[in-house]
């Protein structure tokens, strides 16, 4: 029957909290619970400044309690993630447990989505393409944004992630590498502007607080973009290397949908912090997104998490409508054992702002729908930033720091 949120919450109620008589299930500790099949994750707050060993002990006690509760309903706990966050919601420690109960032997076809690393059609086998990849000079972190198929809002998420990071004071670049259907000229309002070449380098468009470059500005808008593999490879390499990015904290790359040549070129060329997978809640969209996530893993790129776009719609009557079945992408993230970065509602303003080339307006709406949208986008930005920081720590590139004030 699978583990439910209630099962997890009941289990947490058996684990002592930080203060006398409290439990982990009390509101002060548990912020978020997610559960599906044999997977569960929780987000907890604990004593500020508690040492890592104490947090690990708490996570361990939570794991034991949830595993026991899961066993009570004849379900193994295959994956359990505990995120400890501070008062600002920043993850300060993550404890991941996996493979605690080896799943019963199943024929390969019945394996859970996300398990295994079977080859992806059309992807040339290559032993970890990230192995030899270099850093891009002047760029601290590179985040790729991918999706299993077109139309799910991949470009929308990439753009708003870039603008959201810039609004927090970071130096951000956005590369529209969706060479088959570049949408950034419209979404950024670049109509009427031409790409400028200076000393054999492309000058990025500086707009909405970011530096952007798009294939859409290098070809005629009505020209059909049909690329063979080597051409796609060359175009991506040129766009990335010959743009004068300067110093960037983050470069966000909007990849073409699906799995293919551009992602492979990117993985071979540059060392990435990780990839964000965008998905709508429906089952059919999830299957494509799982394929995209597997591709990133196969390319040696860490999946930073999944964003559920078009998650729900709030009508003028104030009622929430789960048009596509809200929560599907969150479950998919659970199955893949990757973080869920947040849900973005279907919003008229988001579509209109994109068509008008004004992404800044997505963060400044003052009516209820506008505030809902900006909060959802800011949450995605915050979670993605957290996951980049955690990925850096895991790779050993950055050591954790503790500041005491
Ligand atoms: P993709 O890059 O996956 O092909 P886009 O980001 O171009 O998808 O989005 C496709 C269309 O859907 C665009 O017109 C965009 O404005 C619209 N759109 C995307 N996400 C939302 C949303 N949450 N609410 C309303 N419209 C959206």
């Amino acid at each position: 029957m699978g583990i439910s949120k209630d099962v997890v919450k009941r289990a947490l109620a058996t684990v002592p909290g930080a203060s006398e008589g409290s439990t982990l299930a009390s509101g002060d500790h548990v912020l978020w619970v997610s559960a599906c099949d044999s997977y569960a994750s929780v987000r907890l707050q604990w004593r500020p400044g508690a040492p890592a060993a104490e947090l690990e002990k708490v996570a361990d006690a939570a794991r034991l309690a949830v595993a026991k509760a899961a066993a009570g309903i004849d379900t193994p706990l295959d994956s359990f993630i505990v995120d400890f966050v501070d008062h600002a919601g920043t993850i300060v420690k993550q404890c991941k447990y996996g493979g605690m109960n080896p799943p019963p032997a199943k024929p390969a076809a019945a394996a859970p989505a996300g398990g295994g690393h079977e080859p992806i059609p059309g992807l040339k086998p290559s032993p970890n393409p990230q192995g030899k990849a270099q850093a891009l000079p002047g760029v601290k972190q590179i985040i790729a944004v991918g999706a299993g198929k077109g139309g799910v809002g991949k470009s929308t998420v990439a753009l708003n992630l870039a603008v959201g990071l810039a609004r927090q004071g970071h130096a951000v670049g956005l590369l529209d590498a969706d060479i088959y259907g570049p949408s950034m000229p419209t979404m950024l309002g670049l109509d009427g502007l031409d790409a400028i070449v200076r000393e054999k380098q492309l000058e990025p468009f500086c707009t909405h607080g970011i530096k952007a470059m798009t294939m859409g500005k290098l070809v005629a808008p009505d020209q059909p973009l049909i690329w063979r593999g080597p051409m796609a490879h060359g175009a991506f390499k040129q766009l990335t290397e010959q743009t004068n990015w300067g110093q960037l904290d983050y470069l966000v790359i909007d990849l073409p949908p699906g799995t293919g040549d551009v992602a492979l070129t990117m993985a071979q060329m540059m060392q990435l912090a990780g990839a964000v997978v965008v998905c709508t809640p429906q089952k059919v969209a999830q299957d494509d997104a799982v394929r995209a996530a597997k591709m990133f893993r196969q390319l040696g790129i860490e999946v930073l998490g999944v964003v559920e776009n078009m998650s729900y719609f709030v009508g003028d009557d104030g009622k929430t409508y789960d048009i596509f079945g809200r929560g599907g992408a969150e479950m998919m993230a659970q199955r893949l054992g990757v973080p869920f970065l947040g849900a973005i509602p279907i919003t008229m303003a988001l579509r209109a702002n994109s068509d008008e080339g004004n992404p800044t307006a997505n963060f400044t709406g003052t009516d209820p729908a506008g505030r809902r949208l900006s909060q959802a986008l800011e949450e995605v930005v915050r979670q993605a930033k957290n996951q980049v920081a955690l990925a850096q720590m895991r790779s050993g590139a950055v050591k954790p720091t503790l500041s005491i004030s």
Side-chain angles (χ1 to χ4, degrees):
M1 91 190 233
I3 304 167
S4 67
K5 291 185 186 185
D6 283 343
V7 167
V8 177
K9 282 184 194 158
R10 277 202 300 274
L12 294 180
T14 65
V15 181
S19 58
E20 189 72 32
S22 73
T23 76
L24 274 193
S26 74
D28 291 351
H29 287 308
V30 68
L31 298 178
W32 185 73
V33 171
S34 164
C36 167
D37 297 343
S38 56
Y39 305 83
S41 59
V42 295
R43 192 161 296 161
L44 299 176
Q45 268 180 348
W46 194 254
R47 235 167 27 82
E54 185 177 327
L55 300 182
E56 280 160 16
K57 240 171 113 179
V58 175
D60 230 32
R63 172 183 68 92
L64 285 174
V66 175
K68 194 171 153 198
I73 52 165
D74 286 334
T75 305
L77 180 63
D78 286 327
S79 160
F80 186 56
I81 302 171
V82 183
D83 286 337
F84 289 96
V85 297
D86 62 15
H87 285 289
T90 304
I91 298 176
V92 292
K93 173 132 187 91
Q94 187 177 60
C95 300
K96 261 184 164 179
Y97 306 90
M100 288 169 290
N101 298 289
K106 286 181 191 166
H117 284 227
E118 64 263 32
I120 292 153
L123 191 69
K124 295 171 207 108
S126 158
N128 186 8
Q130 279 276 272
K132 288 197 194 128
Q134 303 284 316
L136 200 61
V139 180
K140 287 190 192 146
Q141 309 285 2
I142 303 176
I143 306 172
V145 180
K149 61 173 185 173
V152 298
K154 171 185 56 59
S155 301
T156 304
V157 170
L159 171 61
N160 285 285
L161 178 58
V163 172
L165 286 166
R167 288 174 63 82
Q168 294 184 4
H170 299 291
V172 184
L174 174 66
L175 175 68
D176 179 7
D178 190 346
I179 54 175
Y180 303 103
S183 47
M184 291 307 166
T186 302
M187 287 186 168
L188 278 168
L190 303 179
D191 295 339
L193 300 176
D194 287 326
I196 296 172
V197 179
R198 200 171 284 147
E199 291 170 12
K200 294 190 181 158
Q201 285 252 296
L202 284 162
E203 284 301 317
F205 298 90
C206 295
T207 181
H208 298 283
I210 61 174
K211 292 180 182 175
M213 182 44 69
T214 165
M215 183 50 90
K217 276 289 158 190
L218 307 182
V219 292
D222 52 359
Q223 184 182 322
L225 299 181
I226 303 164
W227 301 92
R228 281 179 294 111
M231 283 166 72
H233 172 89
F236 178 80
K237 216 165 139 43
Q238 225 173 327
L239 263 191
T240 315
E241 291 180 339
Q242 295 182 14
T243 298
N244 181 18
W245 295 111
Q247 301 289 319
L248 294 181
D249 295 322
Y250 296 94
L251 175 65
V252 178
I253 301 182
D254 181 19
L255 285 173
T259 53
D261 295 304
V262 172
L264 180 59
T265 300
M266 176 187 74
Q268 287 167 335
M269 247 181 83
M270 56 180 102
Q271 197 66 52
L272 278 99
V276 169
V277 175
V278 181
C279 179
T280 51
Q282 311 95 307
K283 180 79 181 77
V284 280
Q286 286 173 40
D287 294 343
D288 289 320
V290 164
R291 222 164 288 134
K294 284 183 180 176
M295 170 197 71
F296 286 124
R297 282 183 174 163
Q298 215 186 7
L299 293 174
I301 298 169
E302 178 155 350
V303 178
L304 298 169
V306 173
V307 173
E308 179 166 288
N309 187 33
M310 308 191 196
S311 178
Y312 56 94
F313 175 76
V314 182
D316 288 341
D317 54 5
K319 277 197 202 145
T320 300
Y321 300 88
D322 296 345
I323 296 176
F324 296 132
R326 182 177 182 172
E330 188 176 347
M331 284 192 196
M332 185 198 85
Q334 279 287 341
R335 282 199 210 104
L336 286 169
V338 300
F340 179 63
L341 303 178
I344 303 172
I346 299 175
T347 320
M348 294 270 280
L350 181 53
R351 204 267 314 139
N353 294 338
S354 298
D355 284 354
E356 283 162 22
N358 185 11
T360 297
N362 295 330
F363 293 85
T364 56
T366 50
D367 61 344
R371 282 202 301 275
R372 237 181 340 262
L373 176 63
S374 63
Q375 279 165 8
L377 294 175
E378 274 157 12
E379 176 65 10
V380 168
V381 171
R382 201 159 55 82
Q383 294 296 343
K385 220 171 119 174
N386 277 343
Q387 291 304 328
V388 169
L390 283 168
Q392 289 299 103
M393 277 188 219
R394 275 197 292 277
S395 73
V398 175
K399 299 266 179 292
T401 53
L402 178 68
S403 58
I404 298 166
S405 52

